[in-house]
Amino acid sequence: MFDILHRVGIKAATDEVYKSLATPQGVSRWWTTETSGDDKPGGRIRFRFTDHGRELGVFDMRILELHPGKRVAWQVTDGPDEWVGTRVSFDLRQEGDFTIVLFRHEGWKEPVEFMYHCSTKWATFLMSLKSLGETGKGQPSPHDVKVGDWH
Amino acid sequence: MFDILHRVGIKAATDEVYKSLATPQGVSRWWTTETSGDDKPGGRIRFRFTDHGRELGVFDMRILELHPGKRVAWQVTDGPDEWVGTRVSFDLRQEGDFTIVLFRHEGWKEPVEFMYHCSTKWATFLMSLKSLGETGKGQPSPHDVKVGDWH
């Protein structure tokens, strides 16, 4: 199994960062504006990505864990083949002025080229989460940073 | 062993992107301004990172491979303990208007928290390489994008 790992430090209260991860409203402000679903463990959450109206992808996830101020974990139940069954998690802790976010997208079966792309995209989305926490404004899809021909 | 993987697409000629990777002058424009050394396989290249004059780190690498327009590979010979012995490589190919860069930082012994940080930093430096290719201006250290308390 292969994992994507990232770490960012956000100058914002841990509870604020947690809210941006634990609710569809929060996630819509840094990952994709088209986020909908639940905010309870066992619930479902759906993320849709478009580019000028053209659908690029839809990811359905089950909410595995919600530990206020500490951890959010999802499991991918529908989406691109390479994503189905993988897990996405965010571990939070306070460190001085920073909320440290340890990010994992775990359980890729093979290190396919799409995984390389997703690794870079996750970094830019985590920088969007950082920007949201520090300035009140993220860069969620469809206003996301483009990293190449695969967007 | 654990690897950091990234993919960016740069709207620039492959030969231009190659030059930014294969020479100390090129690397100094997107990774760290303090880059010096050789431009031949078997040679050495040194990367120094500072923040307001304070030294953050020095990485010495051996140039393993230089395949014009195709691939650059380095091996870390000195630097942070976790980096020594690891390999950094860039594979290039043309795809329509884009030069696709597949990046690997391979051979980490453990997925330590510093690896999470380096994964995110590499993404921002590859976006700096992309910016250099597309606009003529990168964001090398010490003008690099800060991703958290570890810079």
Side-chain angles (χ1 to χ4, degrees):
Chain A
M1 292 292 186
F2 302 86
D3 305 334
I4 295 169
L5 308 174
H6 286 297
R7 179 189 192 277
V8 291
I10 304 175
K11 276 197 180 170
T14 302
D15 286 348
E16 286 306 309
V17 177
Y18 176 77
K19 271 186 219 157
S20 299
L21 297 168
T23 65
Q25 295 76 13
V27 179
S28 73
R29 297 178 68 199
W30 64 271
W31 196 26
T32 171
T33 57
E34 298 184 77
T35 301
S36 59
D38 300 319
D39 58 5
K40 294 197 172 53
R44 305 272 168 180
I45 189 161
R46 164 171 285 210
F47 310 96
R48 192 163 169 266
F49 294 82
T50 55
D51 181 43
H52 296 90
R54 186 169 62 96
E55 187 165 291
L56 296 177
V58 178
F59 304 151
D60 280 321
M61 306 214 196
R62 192 157 57 89
I63 302 169
L64 294 181
E65 298 175 54
L66 289 177
H67 301 292
K70 294 224 169 126
R71 179 173 161 85
V72 170
W74 304 320
Q75 178 147 36
V76 183
T77 54
D78 201 6
D81 282 352
E82 299 92 337
W83 277 53
V84 174
T86 61
R87 293 173 309 286
V88 175
S89 66
F90 306 83
D91 284 285
L92 310 182
R93 68 170 195 271
Q94 189 81 30
E95 194 128 322
D97 292 343
F98 288 89
T99 295
I100 305 300
V101 181
L102 291 187
F103 169 88
R104 294 181 190 88
H105 184 176
E106 297 174 278
W108 290 73
K109 289 193 193 84
E110 297 292 336
V112 291
E113 194 165 329
F114 185 48
M115 181 180 167
Y116 288 64
H117 167 75
C118 292
S119 173
T120 314
K121 281 299 284 193
W122 273 125
T124 63
F125 282 120
L126 290 163
M127 292 304 285
S128 166
L129 174 69
K130 177 174 165 69
S131 170
L132 174 62
E134 295 179 355
T135 72
K137 197 167 158 47
Q139 291 179 283
S141 167
H143 317 292
D144 51 325
V145 174
K146 309 307 181 200
V147 306
D149 55 333
W150 289 352
H151 294 280
Chain B
M1 292 292 187
F2 301 87
D3 305 334
I4 295 169
L5 308 174
H6 286 298
R7 180 189 191 275
V8 291
I10 304 174
K11 277 198 180 168
T14 302
D15 285 348
E16 286 306 310
V17 176
Y18 176 76
K19 271 185 219 159
S20 299
L21 297 167
T23 64
Q25 295 77 13
V27 178
S28 74
R29 297 178 68 199
W30 65 271
W31 196 25
T32 171
T33 58
E34 298 184 79
T35 300
S36 59
D38 299 320
D39 57 5
K40 293 196 172 52
R44 304 273 167 179
I45 189 162
R46 164 171 284 210
F47 310 97
R48 192 162 168 266
F49 294 82
T50 55
D51 182 42
H52 296 89
R54 186 170 62 95
E55 187 165 291
L56 296 177
V58 178
F59 304 151
D60 280 319
M61 306 215 196
R62 191 158 57 90
I63 302 170
L64 293 180
E65 298 176 53
L66 288 177
H67 300 292
K70 295 221 167 127
R71 179 173 161 85
V72 170
W74 304 320
Q75 178 146 36
V76 183
T77 54
D78 201 7
D81 282 351
E82 301 91 335
W83 276 54
V84 175
T86 61
R87 293 172 309 286
V88 174
S89 66
F90 307 83
D91 284 284
L92 310 182
R93 68 170 195 270
Q94 189 81 29
E95 195 127 322
D97 292 343
F98 288 89
T99 295
I100 305 301
V101 181
L102 291 187
F103 169 87
R104 294 180 190 88
H105 184 177
E106 298 173 276
W108 290 73
K109 289 193 194 85
E110 296 293 335
V112 290
E113 193 165 329
F114 185 48
M115 181 179 167
Y116 289 63
H117 167 75
C118 292
S119 174
T120 313
K121 280 300 282 193
W122 273 124
T124 63
F125 281 121
L126 290 163
M127 293 304 285
S128 167
L129 175 68
K130 177 174 165 69
S131 170
L132 174 63
E134 296 180 354
T135 72
K137 197 168 159 44
Q139 291 179 283
S141 167
H143 317 293
D144 51 325
V145 173
K146 309 305 181 202
V147 305
D149 55 333
W150 288 352
H151 294 282

